[in-house]
Amino acid sequence: LKCGFVRWLCLLSACLPVMFGHGPHEHTKQPFVVGASVVAIKYKDGVVVGADMLGSYGNSARYPNMDKMKVVGEHTILAASGELSDFQYFQDLLTTLDTEDWINEDNVRLESKEIASYVGRVCYNRRTKVDPLWGQFVTCGFQDGKPFLGYSDLYGTCFEEKYIGTGMGAHMSLPMMRSAWKEDLTKEEAIALIKQCLTILFYRDCNSCCTVQIGVVDASGCTIGKPETIEHNWNYKAYSETRNDDSASW
């Protein structure tokens, strides 16, 4: 009788989660609400980063005003594309670290390279658990009198570069930034170039929108601009014509 009762309890404990809609714990197998590309470039006195503000649920333009940048510490901006809830998770982690730095009152704060290293190690740790953070993260900063630009992704890949593009920006924006970059690139030239990249991405990437934010990091600190609408025009002849020959645009 006792064995039968124990067997009944085991069966009940296995069935109850299914009966009430609570299945077994699962890792995220694919991103749901995602952000499109982030593009960033160094200039002679700092870093400029840009991203649109659309959060897409599949192919649905579900959330039109999603922030994809966060100021961390005094001279760092973290920007992200991919699963936006994972970026929000990173925001919580970094806010906790920055708060602990402030509470210690020892005049020591995490700097850009340390934040980039931390982001990369968290990504790699989650990858080893087969529960990755589905995103690409761009760390823009200013440290030791020099601009810093770093990249991390869900695989734990980390590197520094003069210009970085994520998502479709890795295919469409990198050639433009590679051609335009120079050692004495000015802030105004960098901002104009980032806006040009975001305009091209808006035309070509269905998960992008025309509302963008531009962030700047330099020796004076971090600035994330207010949302702005980039200029665009859909009245080009190639966009309005329907063609059946090989001369059609994308």
Side-chain angles (χ1 to χ4, degrees), residues 5 14 35 58 167 169 178 244:
F5 180 71
R178 189 178 294 120
N244 294 321

Side-chain angles (χ1 to χ4, degrees), residues 116-150:
S117 177
Y118 175 79
V119 171
R121 294 308 88 208
V122 171
C123 287
Y124 187 78
N125 176 262
R126 290 289 295 267
R127 170 206 169 175
T128 59
K129 296 179 180 179
V130 200
D131 186 18
L133 296 170
W134 295 82
Q136 296 173 300
F137 306 95
V138 179
T139 307
C140 313
F142 194 88
Q143 182 176 345
D144 301 328
K146 298 178 182 179
F148 171 85
L149 185 57

Side-chain angles (χ1 to χ4, degrees), residues 14-201:
C15 293
L16 279 177
V18 179
M19 292 168 59
F20 290 98
H22 301 290
H25 174 74
E26 293 184 355
H27 293 168
T28 303
K29 296 185 177 70
Q30 63 183 20
F32 287 92
V33 178
V34 299
S37 307
V38 171
V39 288
I41 190 168
K42 288 182 181 179
Y43 66 97
K44 64 178 182 179
D45 297 319
V47 180
V48 175
V49 57
D52 70 284
M53 300 190 69
L54 179 64
S56 299
Y57 182 72
N59 284 329
S60 171
R62 181 66 181 85
Y63 303 101
N65 294 299
M66 298 293 291
D67 290 326
K68 301 174 187 175
M69 300 184 199
K70 175 181 173 57
V71 174
V72 184
E74 297 177 345
H75 293 91
T76 308
I77 291 177
L78 181 68
S81 62
E83 173 59 59
L84 293 177
S85 64
D86 287 340
F87 176 53
Q88 292 169 347
Y89 169 74
F90 253 124
Q91 291 184 57
D92 292 340
L93 291 181
L94 293 170
T95 298
T96 301
L97 285 178
D98 195 44
T99 302
E100 289 176 355
D101 277 350
W102 178 81
I103 290 173
N104 289 333
E105 295 184 347
D106 56 2
N107 293 322
V108 176
R109 303 289 293 274
L110 287 175
E111 297 193 51
S112 302
K113 293 182 181 180
E114 295 161 342
I115 292 169
S117 177
Y118 175 79
V119 171
R121 294 308 88 208
V122 171
C123 287
Y124 187 78
N125 176 262
R126 290 289 295 267
R127 170 206 169 175
T128 59
K129 296 179 180 179
V130 200
D131 186 18
L133 296 170
W134 295 82
Q136 296 173 300
F137 306 95
V138 179
T139 307
C140 313
F142 194 88
Q143 182 176 345
D144 301 328
K146 298 178 182 179
F148 171 85
L149 185 57
Y151 169 91
S152 307
D153 63 17
L154 71 163
Y155 303 109
T157 305
C158 302
F159 59 83
E160 297 179 32
E161 252 296 356
K162 299 184 289 291
Y163 32 75
I164 289 175
T166 69
M168 291 292 286
H171 305 283
M172 295 185 176
S173 297
L174 278 183
M176 298 169 58
M177 293 190 287
R178 189 178 294 120
S179 299
W181 191 85
K182 53 186 178 182
E183 290 285 350
D184 59 346
L185 189 71
T186 65
K187 176 181 176 180
E188 292 72 22
E189 290 173 333
I191 292 175
L193 178 60
I194 291 298
K195 288 184 177 180
Q196 183 183 8
C197 292
L198 293 173
T199 302
I200 297 299
L201 289 169

